Amino acid sequence: MSGFVPQFRPEHGAATPWTVLRPGGDLEPGRSPTLDGERLRAAYELMLFSRAFDEKAFSLQRQGRFGTFSPVRGQEASVVGAAFALDPARDWVVPQYRELPALLNQGLPLEQFMLTFLGDPRGGRAPDEVNVLPIQIGLAAQLPQAVGLAWGLARQRRDAVVMVFCGDGATSEGDFHEACNLAGVVRAPVVFLVQNNGWAISTPRARQSAAASLAARAPGYGMAGALVDGNDLLAVHEVASNAVERARSGGGPTLVETLTYRLGDHNTADDATRYRPTDDLAAWEPRDPLDRVHTYLRSRGLWDDPHDAAVRERIAQRIEEAVRTVEAVAPPGVEHVFAHVTETPSPRLQAQLAELQAHGGAR
């Protein structure tokens, strides 16, 4: 690890995004990866898994077998590079709704994730040994929760870091300001990972903020800031690793902005062709993060055609297995709506559940 994290100070303005792996698949001169060998292969396989699941989820949604889903496509390097900077055994991930590979890396079963998109409230409860919070559809609502979690872990003297994901649209919400402000004041061990994919649904980044970059806001909250090429797995991993190391050592929070692009629609209910310029997409497609890592791995002798075919087949089988499993799960009863909300249900909730059960509403 080089120890470098691009810093933002008011007098400096924006900085050039940190890059390690160029779009063509070769390293920037003088830079070396903090992720290599088997770890790099594992990261790329997780990126492939995420892309394959996006395609399957889209198909299932169109068949009426899955709910509205937000694909990761185009942002895999931002999610996986950051997730691989964490220790799943002690660190936490607080997602928004476009971070499937990070949740899988933490140990969340794919079936558990999928239940949520089948309208099953049991999907929102992670197993006790998995350090994740549920996905959050309400924009930026997870940010104050993440800071509270990080602050609480610090007060318990737990050696843990919280990484919370959000998009550029979330940075325009009041929750973002409140979370960053508190994190800076209490020096919470939290990393804000902002995936700037250029669009808050149909609102372009330029209409959201006049700031030169979103990470440049960091000094105002008393925290470090970093701007990184979000389509560069190696650069994201390096910057995120430094931010995690800073948080773990008591150095406080970091605001990391990954410059990336949403290659598909916002979600399966969206049609990006109605608002996004076609030449915009054409300019970003050659910067596909999967292609970049694939080329680099081949150049290092770490990937070949037989291995590629085997990995893709294994991924396809795992996804099909998960689909069969979740579609065979018995539908939830109304009692599951009341479960895992509070440790001890209030008398009012108990009365409501009893009333529903008396009318045959629970299975």
Side-chain angles (χ1 to χ4, degrees):
M1 183 179 298
S2 69
F4 176 84
V5 174
Q7 296 295 310
F8 290 86
R9 298 180 178 86
E11 67 273 18
H12 291 171
T16 302
W18 182 246
T19 303
V20 175
L21 187 62
R22 291 168 164 173
D26 58 319
L27 294 174
E28 288 279 357
R31 296 180 187 175
S32 57
T34 58
L35 192 62
D36 207 354
E38 286 304 312
R39 284 277 289 167
L40 180 57
R41 280 161 52 111
Y44 179 58
E45 184 168 336
L46 185 55
M47 293 169 73
L48 287 174
F49 191 102
S50 178
R51 184 70 62 92
F53 185 81
D54 281 352
E55 294 169 358
K56 185 64 177 182
F58 186 91
S59 176
L60 291 172
Q61 193 275 335
R62 290 298 189 257
Q63 297 172 49
R65 298 163 61 191
F66 210 58
T68 301
F69 176 74
S70 297
V72 188
R73 183 168 175 258
Q75 301 177 217
E76 293 91 350
S78 290
V79 181
V80 176
F84 265 54
L86 299 171
D87 178 357
R90 53 179 170 169
D91 299 328
W92 285 74
V93 164
V94 179
Q96 192 161 282
Y97 46 69
R98 209 185 298 275
E99 289 82 33
L100 170 61
L103 298 176
L104 296 178
N105 189 63
Q106 288 291 108
L108 185 74
L110 180 60
E111 292 83 354
Q112 186 82 21
F113 175 83
M114 293 178 69
L115 281 176
T116 298
F117 296 93
L118 295 177
D120 193 324
R122 291 170 292 186
R125 186 186 187 280
D128 291 338
E129 68 277 8
V130 179
N131 295 336
V132 301
L133 294 190
I135 62 172
Q136 177 57 255
I137 304 301
L139 205 60
Q142 77 280 11
L143 298 174
Q145 305 296 327
V147 176
L149 172 60
W151 190 15
L153 292 169
R155 289 182 62 84
Q156 295 173 37
R157 300 186 184 281
R158 302 274 291 277
D159 182 19
V161 174
V162 175
M163 181 174 288
V164 57
F165 290 85
C166 70
D168 49 291
T171 67
S172 298
E173 296 287 330
D175 285 316
F176 175 80
H177 165 72
E178 293 161 6
C180 288
N181 191 61
L182 178 60
V185 169
V186 302
R187 299 183 67 77
V190 59
V191 178
F192 295 91
L193 204 293
V194 179
Q195 298 189 76
N196 178 4
N197 65 19
W199 296 90
I201 307 182
S202 59
T203 303
R205 154 70 173 84
R207 294 292 300 275
Q208 296 182 64
S209 174
S213 74
L214 301 177
R217 296 173 173 179
Y221 296 112
M223 68 174 76
L227 180 66
V228 60
D229 181 347
N231 283 17
D232 180 351
L233 175 73
L234 301 181
V236 173
H237 180 262
E238 180 176 349
V239 170
S241 295
N242 279 289
V244 168
E245 184 179 314
R246 175 185 291 106
R248 200 182 305 284
S249 63
T254 302
L255 174 59
V256 177
E257 177 186 358
T258 68
L259 284 177
T260 182
Y261 196 78
R262 167 166 49 87
L263 290 179
D265 297 327
H266 173 70
N267 57 32
T268 51
D270 178 42
D271 179 7
T273 63
R274 299 182 63 181
Y275 55 82
R276 190 167 60 184
T278 55
D279 56 345
D280 228 22
L281 181 60
W284 277 91
E285 283 182 329
R287 300 173 64 87
D288 189 313
L290 270 70
D291 294 343
R292 195 182 302 198
V293 181
H294 182 86
T295 301
Y296 178 71
L297 284 170
R298 281 186 173 275
S299 72
R300 297 289 306 279
L302 295 171
W303 206 267
D304 56 27
D305 289 341
H307 183 72
D308 188 80
V311 167
R312 292 176 188 273
E313 177 62 24
R314 183 168 65 247
I315 288 172
Q317 291 178 359
R318 176 67 185 98
I319 292 174
E320 289 299 331
E321 174 191 0
V323 172
R324 288 193 298 270
T325 298
V326 297
E327 291 191 331
V329 173
V334 294
E335 71 275 11
H336 292 112
V337 176
F338 295 82
H340 311 301
V341 176
T342 58
E343 183 177 9
T344 303
S346 66
R348 183 178 181 182
L349 286 177
Q350 293 179 40
Q352 290 175 344
L353 175 58
E355 182 179 357
L356 285 169
Q357 290 173 326
H359 287 84
R363 287 186 286 272

